[in-house]
Amino acid sequence: MKLLKEKIKQDGVVLSDSILKVDSFLNHQIDPALMKEIGDEFVKRFQNEKITKILTIESSGISPAVMAGLNFGVNVIFARKRKSLTLVDELYTASVHSFTKNVTNEIAVSKRFINENDHVLVIDDFLANGQAALGLLDIVEQAGASVAGIGIVIEKAFQDGGKLLRNKGIRVESLAEIEKLDNGQVIFKEEVMA
């Protein structure tokens, strides 16, 4: 997705060989026009699936998931990381380790919002080691629902998450695949292959 890659090159900040900061447009401040384009792209890539729900994890996955949900005409569910007084009973839960924050959270989704009749598209902002995606897939499995695939805004292809998920036979569509973060520069997969 050309617009996203241009935005990453222009506004992304490489903090190390494994950390890319994109808080100016994706996971702190949100660029609505870019989010619309991202939602449109996910619909193009998964248009032949009969999506009934979109599942993401709070908070950075919510914006792209909502835009895709708007285009698909389906509800978006976000797995909560934080405890809530109103979300205590009848939950699907999974443990998710965050690479960036180096913390493990128990995520939760109410059993009222996903069931065996759902065909779920999982969407998230980043794919690195795949732990968030695996946690969301665990919740889909607990509900007895089926998985249409996983839509990722930015994949760090130099980490194992994408390979892990694809080796499990899961369809993963990443809008921007980063081959490496090198000397303050973002190198996309297709740049290395060219």
Side-chain angles (χ1 to χ4, degrees), residues 19 81 116 149:
I19 305 289
K81 294 180 193 173
E116 68 276 358

Side-chain angles (χ1 to χ4, degrees), residues 99-127:
F99 171 80
T100 308
K101 297 174 184 143
N102 194 27
V103 66
T104 300
N105 290 301
E106 182 173 276
I107 61 171
V109 170
S110 173
K111 290 182 178 181
R112 295 182 315 144
F113 299 131
I114 186 170
N115 62 55
E116 68 276 358
N117 298 315
D118 285 314
H119 193 52
V120 180
L121 174 60
V122 172
I123 291 183
D124 206 5
D125 62 337
F126 269 97
L127 174 59

Side-chain angles (χ1 to χ4, degrees), residues 26-180:
L26 181 60
N27 56 19
H28 190 52
Q29 175 174 269
I30 297 167
D31 180 333
L34 178 61
M35 286 308 114
K36 182 186 180 319
E37 294 295 324
I38 286 170
D40 292 347
E41 186 64 26
F42 282 136
V43 170
K44 283 181 198 168
R45 294 187 186 208
F46 290 98
Q47 65 186 346
N48 294 326
E49 298 288 336
K50 292 181 173 31
I51 309 292
T52 63
K53 297 275 173 68
I54 294 177
L55 178 63
T56 190
I57 193 167
E58 70 175 346
S59 62
S60 300
I62 295 173
S63 294
V66 166
M67 294 312 263
L70 182 65
N71 290 343
F72 275 115
V74 301
N75 287 331
V76 174
I77 306 158
F78 65 89
R80 290 180 175 251
K81 294 180 193 173
R82 295 161 191 86
K83 299 282 184 202
S84 168
L85 293 175
T86 62
L87 190 68
V88 291
D89 295 325
E90 299 292 313
L91 303 175
Y92 299 117
T93 62
S95 291
V96 172
H97 182 76
S98 169
F99 171 80
T100 308
K101 297 174 184 143
N102 194 27
V103 66
T104 300
N105 290 301
E106 182 173 276
I107 61 171
V109 170
S110 173
K111 290 182 178 181
R112 295 182 315 144
F113 299 131
I114 186 170
N115 62 55
E116 68 276 358
N117 298 315
D118 285 314
H119 193 52
V120 180
L121 174 60
V122 172
I123 291 183
D124 206 5
D125 62 337
F126 269 97
L127 174 59
N129 291 318
Q131 297 307 299
L134 289 171
L136 293 170
L137 291 173
D138 184 13
I139 286 173
V140 172
E141 186 176 305
Q142 289 176 52
S146 60
V147 175
I150 300 175
I152 299 295
V153 179
I154 302 170
E155 178 179 345
K156 295 178 185 175
F158 56 88
Q159 291 181 288
D160 292 333
K163 183 178 180 183
L164 175 76
L165 295 167
R166 289 177 181 102
N167 285 344
K168 288 179 172 284
I170 298 163
R171 178 180 174 193
V172 179
E173 292 284 341
S174 299
L175 305 187
E177 290 182 70
I178 297 173
E179 183 66 29
K180 61 182 173 177

